[in-house]
Amino acid sequence: MNYIKIAEGLNVDQINKEIEANPHVWNSVKDRTENPTSPHREVDDIWVRYSDLERFRSEEKYKPFIPRWYDVAEDLPSIVDFSFLMMSAVEGENLGAVLVTKIPAGGKVYPHVDTGWHVEFHDKFYLHLESNDGVEFCWSDGQKIKPKKGDLYWLDNTKEHWVNNNGNTDRTTLIVCIKPFVRMKDKVEN
């Protein structure tokens, strides 16, 4: 199994209000999206928490690091609050990256596999802030989900995956990376 649906119908209105009230938070970091060959080239990002950017943009990015909150976190307190609620809910031992991604109507994330120490150490949890009937999160083994607004999933991003937004509205997702006491893969495989 490549995913676990953790919850549905969560109220994401306050998170969406804070993002809408702070348009400057979008694309202040473009490291995932500016390369024309990146699988994320059609995506807009809000980096809320990750590595120090100087370190990330050097050879040091492949080594373990202690994540830090970026300045945009001050404008998005509901995302910070949700991140810590998730930590508690999954018995988190370490909070990693926190990121918001937006795929515009008709856009996509191209097939790829997430790699590196951060992915190997943390599980990824996805809270869907905006979605539509044309959104599909797909894996190369044929599994797929059609997330709705307020759905929360753990997704296995170590297998080839992609996202299509064939709808008429944006798909926006909050991604919170957590190292839980018991990894979600272990729960799925047992």
Side-chain angles (χ1 to χ4, degrees):
M1 181 68 84
N2 297 336
Y3 64 92
I4 298 172
K5 188 174 192 179
I6 297 170
E8 60 185 39
L10 296 177
N11 185 337
V12 296
D13 292 343
Q14 186 59 35
I15 294 174
N16 285 333
K17 284 178 190 174
E18 290 170 8
I19 292 171
E20 187 176 327
N22 293 286
H24 67 277
V25 298
W26 287 106
N27 298 315
S28 61
V29 178
K30 297 182 180 181
D31 292 73
R32 287 179 359 122
T33 60
E34 68 184 352
N35 184 327
T37 63
S38 167
H40 304 99
R41 60 188 173 266
E42 295 183 16
V43 174
D44 293 309
D45 281 344
I46 304 170
W47 287 36
V48 185
R49 179 182 168 89
Y50 199 60
S51 171
D52 175 78
L53 286 175
E54 268 188 51
R55 186 182 192 290
F56 177 71
R57 292 172 177 152
S58 73
E59 289 302 311
E60 294 289 308
K61 77 177 181 180
Y62 300 107
K63 296 179 182 175
F65 59 87
I66 297 172
R68 68 172 197 80
W69 293 102
Y70 293 167
D71 291 343
V72 300
E74 294 177 22
D75 297 319
L76 306 169
S78 293
I79 288 176
V80 175
D81 292 346
F82 180 81
S83 299
F84 287 116
L85 287 171
M86 276 301 301
M87 284 276 291
S88 176
V90 299
E91 298 178 325
E93 297 181 330
N94 183 278
L95 179 61
V98 177
L99 174 73
V100 178
T101 66
K102 178 170 55 177
I103 304 172
K108 64 178 72 176
V109 172
Y110 292 84
H112 68 287
V113 174
D114 293 352
T115 60
W117 84 268
H118 189 269
V119 173
E120 293 166 8
F121 187 73
H122 297 92
D123 286 348
K124 276 195 175 177
F125 298 90
Y126 294 72
L127 176 62
H128 296 274
L129 305 175
E130 294 179 277
S131 196
N132 62 64
D133 291 339
V135 172
E136 290 183 329
F137 194 112
C138 307
W139 288 268
S140 57
D141 66 2
Q143 291 184 54
K144 64 181 165 182
I145 60 170
K146 295 180 75 64
K148 306 284 186 229
K149 179 180 178 179
D151 286 354
L152 175 64
Y153 287 89
W154 162 78
L155 303 176
D156 187 351
N157 59 327
T158 65
K159 299 175 182 172
E160 186 178 51
H161 62 281
W162 61 93
V163 185
N164 296 318
N165 182 2
N166 295 318
N168 295 321
T169 61
D170 295 339
R171 172 280 209 177
T172 307
T173 301
L174 170 61
I175 301 169
V176 179
C177 301
I178 299 170
K179 195 283 186 191
F181 180 68
V182 177
R183 299 293 304 264
M184 299 303 286
K185 280 185 181 182
D186 296 336
K187 291 181 179 183
V188 170
E189 292 171 2
N190 292 329

